[in-house]
């Protein structure tokens, strides 16, 4: 009996070893900043939403490993000689994750939906480059007047209001993503829920547990699915960067978007292989609410700008070796002369403080009538230190400052957009590599991103002139003049050009720094041996 049992066990083990093992799913865990408010591309606003949506949906173009545009839902496109008509040819045989074909009508619907004034999309202004888009979005023209049409199921024609050499980059943005017409017709606003969501990109929504995680799974219907190596993606809200760092060190996260600057030296010494710090196209700045007295007064805006020591903020608090911002547009932006600068560049700190006090006195503020205001900032360990330091600098001119913190999405959605603040922290990372993408924010017709409601007819006229200039050098020079106009009027106060700061586990392969700070899971893989 015993001998027979041993033989049976040996036979079973032999049979098991001959049976191919089921390969474990490849999974990545990504710390992603804030909790998403939506996964609808037309309603999304922050990069924490764009990171997730961009893994599921794909525009006419998409981002390569280096962040630059490559063919996406469109295999190819042509541009008319005058630069005003772009014709996109969709990828043959492409389908949504449920097998329904992706058509040009899905793009027409998405773009009309975004520009429809009743939809209320914050990012509507990014498509003002399309013919009649601004008129449609303002309600002055019907939605059907928008310059986009389906020539046939596989061909999309886009008519522009002016030449836009950057359009191949812009259509990779989530605001220009297609939406599934059939799913919206079936489920309405509920199409973005797990089980209803269909995708044309590498992944599709499997589960969303608010304040816990968003889970995506590989989309087998994606045209390049064979080359997508990660099967499951978990995105976690990690607004508390110190807690996220602990999770990363514990191995609970494979990637983490941002970490405290105060931990940089320790990380470089103890986990140098995980630290990813590099420049990208972004600016951090302070915005003044010009709809609230006294911030409509240039003297007050100038005084607060003069009193802020952005070198100390950048070098001593954020500590990443980032450049102090002396302009609004990053100097490395393509086809841009970068000649604009803050009016007090190079001035002595003491002289600046005296000038600030004098300006506040001219505006009616002093020891017997101090300027009192709130300063709103985004909850983050480094931002809190920066907010405390700025408040102290402003107090040196006799101001009373109350600092108020909010999570990222609350800060942008409930504070900046409705104008419910006095002075506030803000930041912008480029949607495409062109000065237009920074400067359009301050135009008077930009309801989504002109947070301070600043208005300057000269600035608007210069931006309109630049859009109709075909020569890139001449166009850049006009935009630089526009930038100088906003800096001279102290519309905003630039502080720094932030660096991307990621923690990436050595087991993650395919993470490549790029100027757009876009890291699609599609290009990554997990090395279990690392």
């Amino acid at each position: 009996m015993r001998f027979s049992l041993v033989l049976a066990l040996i036979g079973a083990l032999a049979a098991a070893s001959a049976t191919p093992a089921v390969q474990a799913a490849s999974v990545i865990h990504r710390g992603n900043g804030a909790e998403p408010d939506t996964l609808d591309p037309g309603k999304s606003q922050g990069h924490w939403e764009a990171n997730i949506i961009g893994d599921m949906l794909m525009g006419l173009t998409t981002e390569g490993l280096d962040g630059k545009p490559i063919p996406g839902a469109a295999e190819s496109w042509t541009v008319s000689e005058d630069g005003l008509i772009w014709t996109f040819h969709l990828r043959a045989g492409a389908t949504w994750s449920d097998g329904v074909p992706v058509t040009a009508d899905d793009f027409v619907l998405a773009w009309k939906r975004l520009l429809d004034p009743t939809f209320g999309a914050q990012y509507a202004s990014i498509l003002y480059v399309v013919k009649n888009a601004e008129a449609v979005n303002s309600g002055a023209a019907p939605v059907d007047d928008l310059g986009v049409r389906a020539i046939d199921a596989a061909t999309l024609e886009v008519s522009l209001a002016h030449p836009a050499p950057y359009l191949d980059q812009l259509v990779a943005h989530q605001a220009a993503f297609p939406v599934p017409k059939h799913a919206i017709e079936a489920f309405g606003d509920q199409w973005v829920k797990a089980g209803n969501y269909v995708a044309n990109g590498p992944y599709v929504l499997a589960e969303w547990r608010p304040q816990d995680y968003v889970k995506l799974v590989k989309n087998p219907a994606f045209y390049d699915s064979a080359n997508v190596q990660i099967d499951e993606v978990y995105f976690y809200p990690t607004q508390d960067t110190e807690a996220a760092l602990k999770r990363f060190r514990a191995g609970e996260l494979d990637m983490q978007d941002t970490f405290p600057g105060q931990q940089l030296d320790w990380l470089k010494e103890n986990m140098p292989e995980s630290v990813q710090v590099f420049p990208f196209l972004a600016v951090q700045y302070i915005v003044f609410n010009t709809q609230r007295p006294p911030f409509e007064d240039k003297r007050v805006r100038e005084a607060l700008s003069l009193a802020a020591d952005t070198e100390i903020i950048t070098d001593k608090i954020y500590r990443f070796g980032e450049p102090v911002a002396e302009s609004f547009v990053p100097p490395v932006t393509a086809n841009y002369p970068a000649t604009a600068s803050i009016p007090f560049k190079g001035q002595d700190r003491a002289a600046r403080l005296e000038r600030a006090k004098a300006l506040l006195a001219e505006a009616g503020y002093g020891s017997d009538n101090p300027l009192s205001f709130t300063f709103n900032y985004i909850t983050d360990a480094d931002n809190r230190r920066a907010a405390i330091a700025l408040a102290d600098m402003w107090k040196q001119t006799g101001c009373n400052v109350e600092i108020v913190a909010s999570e990222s999405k609350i800060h942008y959605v409930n504070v900046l957009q409705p104008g419910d603040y006095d002075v506030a922290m803000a930041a912008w990372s480029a949607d495409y590599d062109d000065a237009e993408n920074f400067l359009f924010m301050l135009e008077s017709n930009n309801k989504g991103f002109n947070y301070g409601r600043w208005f300057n007819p000269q600035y608007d006229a210069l931006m309109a002139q630049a859009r109709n200039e075909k020569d890139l050098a001449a166009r850049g020079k006009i935009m630089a003049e526009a930038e100088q106009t906003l800096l001279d009027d102290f519309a905003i106060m630039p502080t720094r050009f932030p660096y991307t700061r990621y923690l990436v586990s050595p087991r993650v392969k395919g993470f490549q720094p790029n100027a757009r700070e876009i890291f699609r899971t599609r290009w990554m893989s997990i090395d279990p041996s690392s």
Side-chain angles (χ1 to χ4, degrees):
M1 290 289 292
R2 182 176 296 174
F3 182 71
S4 299
L5 180 59
V6 169
L7 285 179
L9 288 171
I10 292 174
L13 289 171
S17 64
T19 303
V22 177
Q23 186 174 355
S26 177
V27 182
I28 190 169
H29 299 270
R30 299 183 56 166
N32 191 45
E35 167 73 14
D37 194 47
T38 180
L39 295 179
D40 186 324
K43 296 180 179 179
S44 67
Q45 301 179 31
H47 72 274
W48 53 91
E49 293 164 344
N51 289 341
I52 303 172
I53 296 170
D55 264 3
M56 296 190 291
L57 299 177
M58 177 174 288
L60 296 164
T61 62
T62 189
E63 302 87 3
L65 184 60
D66 59 2
K68 295 180 180 179
I70 60 173
E75 289 182 300
S76 63
W77 53 91
T78 58
V79 186
S80 63
E81 189 173 345
D82 62 4
L84 294 177
I85 306 293
W86 289 58
T87 306
F88 294 90
H89 305 282
L90 301 192
R91 195 173 292 277
T95 69
W96 294 98
S97 51
D98 60 358
V100 174
V102 176
T103 71
D105 282 331
D106 293 318
F107 285 91
V108 173
L109 171 63
W111 292 21
K112 287 184 176 180
R113 182 175 180 254
L114 187 86
L115 273 304
D116 188 330
T118 63
F119 189 67
Q122 186 201 10
Y123 254 113
S125 58
I126 201 172
L127 287 185
Y128 279 7
V129 62
V130 178
K131 185 178 179 180
N132 297 327
E134 184 177 352
V136 167
N137 192 232
S138 68
V143 174
D144 287 341
D145 281 1
L146 186 66
V148 58
R149 69 185 183 102
I151 294 177
D152 55 43
T155 311
L156 183 76
E157 182 184 87
V158 180
S159 300
L160 303 184
H162 54 79
Y166 51 82
L167 191 72
D168 60 339
Q169 299 181 63
L170 190 154
V171 295
H173 189 273
Q174 73 265 20
F177 284 174
V179 292
K181 185 177 181 180
H182 65 289
I184 292 176
E185 289 175 347
F187 303 110
D189 290 343
Q190 301 304 305
W191 79 271
V192 293
K193 287 192 171 183
N196 298 342
Y197 207 115
V198 293
N200 72 325
Y203 296 91
V204 67
L205 180 64
E207 188 177 9
W208 181 2
R209 292 189 178 182
Q211 300 300 332
D212 193 355
Y213 62 78
V214 174
K215 177 185 177 181
L216 312 183
V217 296
K218 186 174 174 180
N219 173 16
F222 178 56
Y223 67 87
D224 196 34
S225 178
N227 293 313
V228 176
Q229 298 186 51
I230 291 178
D231 300 302
E232 299 177 358
V233 192
Y234 287 81
F235 287 94
Y236 300 90
T238 51
Q239 186 78 43
D240 185 341
T241 55
E242 291 178 326
L245 174 56
K246 292 177 182 177
R247 293 183 67 182
F248 182 84
R249 291 179 59 187
E252 296 175 17
L253 299 176
D254 298 306
M255 294 173 58
Q256 165 55 21
D257 180 358
T258 78
F259 56 88
Q262 305 302 312
Q263 299 293 331
L264 179 61
D265 292 341
W266 185 92
L267 286 165
K268 283 185 173 180
E269 182 177 349
N270 294 279
M271 305 176 69
E273 70 286 350
S274 296
V275 178
Q276 296 283 349
V277 177
F278 49 88
F280 75 115
L281 287 170
V283 62
Q284 187 185 62
Y285 61 101
I286 305 300
V287 61
F288 308 101
N289 189 345
T290 64
Q291 297 300 298
R292 281 190 181 178
F295 303 104
E296 83 286 0
D297 190 331
K298 175 188 171 184
R299 294 171 299 182
V300 173
R301 302 194 301 268
E302 181 177 357
L304 296 182
S305 299
L306 286 164
D309 191 332
T310 53
E311 288 190 17
I312 288 178
I313 299 295
T314 301
D315 297 341
K316 304 300 183 183
I317 294 176
Y318 290 103
R319 302 180 63 195
F320 286 96
E322 300 158 325
V324 174
E326 296 178 322
S327 62
F328 185 55
V329 179
V332 296
T333 304
N335 302 309
Y336 195 62
T339 53
S341 67
I342 52 177
F344 52 88
K345 180 179 179 179
Q347 288 184 16
D348 176 75
R349 166 85 177 145
R352 283 168 48 186
L353 275 175
E354 289 306 309
R355 169 69 175 158
K357 292 175 183 178
L359 285 167
L360 288 174
E362 285 181 21
Y365 297 98
S367 57
D368 57 339
N369 182 35
L371 172 61
S372 299
F373 62 91
T374 57
F375 177 59
N376 292 76
Y377 71 96
I378 302 166
T379 301
D380 172 273
D382 291 338
N383 287 339
R384 175 170 174 76
R385 296 184 185 99
I388 293 171
L390 281 166
D392 185 63
M393 292 168 186
W394 287 326
K395 286 176 184 177
Q396 292 176 40
T397 64
C399 296
N400 291 329
V401 185
E402 178 188 359
I403 62 172
V404 181
S406 302
E407 291 187 0
S408 297
K409 68 175 184 178
I410 300 299
H411 183 78
Y412 283 99
V413 176
N414 295 347
V415 177
L416 291 182
Q417 288 176 29
D420 188 18
Y421 70 95
D422 295 327
V423 181
M425 184 180 290
W428 183 258
S429 57
D431 298 310
Y432 49 91
D433 187 1
D434 194 278
E436 157 100 15
N437 190 233
F438 290 88
L439 298 175
F440 92 117
M441 297 170 62
L442 276 295
E443 290 183 86
S444 59
N445 66 350
N446 194 322
K447 300 179 181 69
F449 301 110
N450 188 352
Y451 303 126
R453 313 305 196 264
W454 177 72
F455 171 67
N456 186 302
Q458 180 186 357
Y459 182 82
D460 289 346
L462 285 167
M463 289 301 294
Q465 181 184 348
R467 289 194 177 97
N468 290 292
E469 176 56 65
K470 294 182 180 180
D471 182 85
L472 288 179
R475 174 177 175 268
K477 186 176 180 181
I478 296 167
M479 286 195 291
E481 186 180 349
E483 182 184 7
Q484 192 62 60
T485 299
L486 76 86
L487 293 172
D488 287 345
D489 202 37
F490 296 91
I492 49 91
M493 184 191 98
T495 56
R496 65 188 177 109
F497 294 121
Y499 284 174
T500 291
R501 18 176 182 158
Y502 260 80
L503 293 174
V504 182
S505 168
R507 75 192 210 103
V508 177
K509 308 302 178 184
F511 178 94
Q512 179 175 311
N514 63 76
R516 293 282 315 287
E517 199 190 24
I518 291 180
F519 312 110
R520 299 299 184 211
T521 310
R522 169 189 181 185
W523 307 115
M524 301 180 198
S525 61
I526 296 293
D527 182 356
S529 64
S530 296

